[in-house]
Amino acid sequence: MSGDDRNRPLLFRTMKVKGSILHPYRFLMLVRLVAVVVFFKWRVEHKNHDGVWLWTASMTADAWFGFSWLLNQLPKLNPIKRVPDLAALADRHDDATLPGIDVFVTTVDPVDEPVLYTVNTILSILAADYPVDNYACYLSDDGGTLVHYEAMVQLASFAALWVPFCRKHCVEPRSPESYFGIKTHSYAGGMAGEFMRERRRVRREYEEFKVRIDSLSTTIRQRSDAYNSKNKGGVSATWMADGTQWPGTWVEQAENHRRGQHAGIVQVLLDHPSCQPQLGSPASTDNPFDFSNVDTRLPMLVYISREKRPGYDNQKKAGAMNVMLRVSALLSNAPFVINFDCDHYINNSQALRAPMCFMLDPRDGQNTAFVQFPQRFDDVDPTDRYANHNRVFFDGTMLALNGLQGPTYLGT
Ligand SMILES: O=c1ccn([C@@H]2O[C@H](COP(=O)(O)OP(=O)(O)O[C@H]3O[C@H](CO)[C@@H](O)[C@H](O)[C@H]3O)[C@@H](O)[C@H]2O)c(=O)[nH]1
Ligand SMILES: [Mn+2]
């Protein structure tokens, strides 16, 4: 750290858990520890001579549980919360000096992992508040299906409306499905009438976009049937809208066009944007949106389906990430990568800035390998009877590990 850095504001704050919560918890740990030790003592002193084998087995199991309980408790003695300071980041780095980020999204099956989720994930990424020419989004489709590719084509055109709309009205969250799912929308800006009008219109466009996404598999099948019937005798291919055969997997399995056996595909759907802001056009008779003061550029968007061959282990998500690293190295080569599963979305438009507070921190940045966000889950029943929010893990264990060295990496 240079002398100059020492006087600068640090980019994140470290917060201890309140004593009123921590002290009773520590006391409870002590009580449990005493109980566990007393229990072991009792066990050893009351050896069951009729079933020594059983006694030994259960002692071994208890000893192991006791030990793992201890391992689990020790980090919890000092849980730590780290909060990014976005204002300090903005002071220190203007948009031009923020580093590039390559955003990786992985998906496999358009049915098991519904395309609508993937589409929302990507829209929330494209609409994030980060310098547009400084980040790029890559989708890896391990299914190699045309449905995903055409969904991305549709998405690229819907994003041209959704992203400027989000920027203009500071919409949160920026995944349209979640945004329109919220019952009431507070609006603090000075254009309430215009906001309501544009929101209604975007909502209608989104509903139409969803219908197009939902009908993709039917559209593709009908189109392919039409081409295949002209092409009698040949194999039943899957056809793209431009009248060429899709290089990935086909609806009907064929040599070199099936799951686990097809050529690699890389398609740039949205090109790298220009470096200067591009303001949109004012409202007119055939354009109800006034984007004349909004930057309408979109970040780069790339579709990838890696090559697959039978007998070759693809290493699932890790393999997909490897391929995305290689492709992005050629196209955008950002110093940082961030990855999401296709069923995750960014629920806060500042989410790409937040990790930079840790990575660029003058004190700890050089020693930070990765930043792990807590995950939150939608559509869990409000009382969370079955603990599906995983709060103990995300708000307990992970904070606890934070106080030791850092949390574990969760794959996203
Ligand atoms: O051959 C494959 C198999 C999986 N995936 C993707 O990998 C991700 C995770 O796979 P999934 O089987 O859905 O794992 P989950 O159990 O749902 O997710 C848990 O496990 C993942 C892998 O460790 C972590 O990334 C997640 O955070 C964690 O919630 C998904 O986006 C998949 O699309 C691929 O890209 N290629
Ligand atoms: Mn999953």
Side-chain angles (χ1 to χ4, degrees):
M1 195 190 291
S2 70
D4 182 36
D5 275 343
R6 216 166 288 137
N7 301 325
R8 286 177 185 272
L10 299 168
L11 300 184
F12 65 85
R13 280 168 294 140
T14 304
M15 284 144 96
K16 298 245 173 200
V17 174
K18 270 194 254 149
S20 56
I21 299 176
L22 202 57
H23 295 315
Y25 185 78
R26 284 177 177 161
F27 176 70
L28 196 69
M29 272 168 66
L30 194 72
V31 172
R32 282 186 179 162
L33 186 66
V34 171
V36 168
V37 170
V38 169
F39 174 70
F40 271 112
K41 190 164 165 289
W42 181 86
R43 266 293 182 83
V44 174
E45 283 168 5
H46 295 76
K47 192 170 177 181
N48 185 344
H49 296 282
D50 298 334
V52 176
W53 189 86
L54 262 180
W55 181 88
T56 317
S58 79
M59 267 315 279
T60 315
D62 282 347
W64 170 247
F65 281 130
F67 178 62
S68 63
W69 177 82
L70 203 64
L71 284 186
N72 220 327
Q73 298 308 306
L74 289 179
K76 289 187 182 156
L77 284 169
N78 185 30
I80 271 182
K81 194 171 186 170
R82 294 200 172 97
V83 184
D85 189 342
L86 292 166
L89 181 74
D91 273 355
R92 209 182 143 106
H93 294 271
D94 58 16
D95 280 2
T97 63
L98 280 176
I101 308 181
D102 286 333
V103 187
F104 296 165
V105 181
T106 45
T107 189
V108 181
D109 192 302
V111 178
D112 291 348
E113 300 171 311
V115 182
L116 191 62
Y117 285 57
T118 310
V119 159
N120 269 278
T121 308
I122 295 183
L123 284 169
S124 76
I125 294 167
L126 298 188
D129 177 23
Y130 201 79
V132 240
D133 49 338
N134 242 353
Y135 78 105
C137 179
Y138 295 84
L139 173 72
S140 152
D141 167 22
D142 267 349
T145 50
L146 183 54
V147 172
H148 274 135
Y149 174 74
E150 294 204 348
M152 290 307 114
V153 175
Q154 296 285 348
L155 180 149
S157 77
F158 178 67
L161 176 63
W162 176 249
V163 174
F165 169 73
C166 290
R167 283 189 194 136
K168 178 174 174 185
H169 298 292
C170 302
V171 158
E172 294 289 345
R174 297 191 175 181
S175 134
E177 192 66 20
S178 315
Y179 175 68
F180 291 122
I182 298 172
K183 294 266 175 333
T184 50
H185 290 272
S186 58
Y187 183 72
M191 303 181 288
E194 193 171 326
F195 168 62
M196 291 308 286
R197 214 170 39 246
E198 294 192 347
R199 193 175 97 88
R200 225 174 5 251
R201 193 55 199 251
V202 172
R203 183 177 201 146
R204 200 159 79 216
E205 294 284 338
Y206 177 61
E207 294 303 327
E208 285 172 15
F209 167 69
K210 269 189 354 184
V211 172
R212 288 198 295 278
I213 297 286
D214 279 345
S215 61
L216 274 178
S217 57
T218 322
T219 326
I220 292 170
R221 185 171 270 278
Q222 283 168 350
R223 179 201 306 146
S224 300
D225 285 350
Y227 276 115
N228 287 330
S229 63
K230 273 189 253 161
N231 196 16
K232 283 216 168 56
V235 277
S236 295
T238 292
W239 294 77
M240 297 174 72
D242 65 1
T244 55
Q245 292 185 349
W246 170 242
T249 56
W250 287 351
V251 183
E252 260 152 62
Q253 306 257 318
E255 187 69 20
N256 286 323
H257 292 285
R258 62 166 79 103
R259 275 264 173 120
Q261 187 192 18
H262 64 81
I265 309 166
V266 177
Q267 286 286 338
V268 178
L269 289 147
L270 291 169
D271 214 341
H272 193 277
S274 64
C275 297
Q276 295 304 319
Q278 276 171 359
L279 300 182
S281 39
S284 63
T285 38
D286 36 62
N287 167 31
F289 300 98
D290 177 14
F291 290 153
S292 51
N293 282 319
V294 191
D295 186 1
T296 56
R297 287 175 304 162
L298 297 172
M300 182 156 110
L301 174 64
V302 181
Y303 170 94
I304 302 172
S305 185
R306 60 195 163 128
E307 180 186 355
K308 287 167 211 85
R309 294 289 156 220
Y312 181 84
D313 187 352
N314 284 307
Q315 307 289 0
K316 301 200 167 58
K317 176 178 171 179
M321 297 264 294
N322 251 330
V323 170
M324 283 192 282
L325 270 180
R326 289 174 196 199
V327 174
S328 66
L330 294 175
L331 296 179
S332 46
N333 201 24
F336 292 100
V337 301
I338 182 166
N339 77 288
F340 300 94
D341 288 0
C342 56
D343 47 6
H344 295 197
Y345 67 91
I346 299 187
N347 64 358
N348 169 357
S349 63
Q350 302 298 308
L352 296 185
R353 292 179 188 262
M356 288 308 151
C357 293
F358 300 100
M359 289 300 188
L360 305 179
D361 184 81
R363 158 189 56 172
D364 264 353
Q366 289 301 325
N367 298 326
T368 305
F370 64 86
V371 176
Q372 175 67 54
F373 285 86
Q375 297 175 6
R376 299 284 178 239
F377 303 90
D378 284 352
D379 300 332
V380 173
D381 88 280
T383 59
D384 193 18
R385 248 169 305 189
Y386 306 111
N388 285 331
H389 277 295
N390 252 332
R391 286 259 152 82
V392 174
F393 180 68
F394 286 112
D395 301 340
T397 308
M398 293 294 265
L399 289 193
L401 287 172
N402 228 358
L404 266 192
Q405 215 184 1
T408 46
Y409 175 59
L410 299 179
T412 43

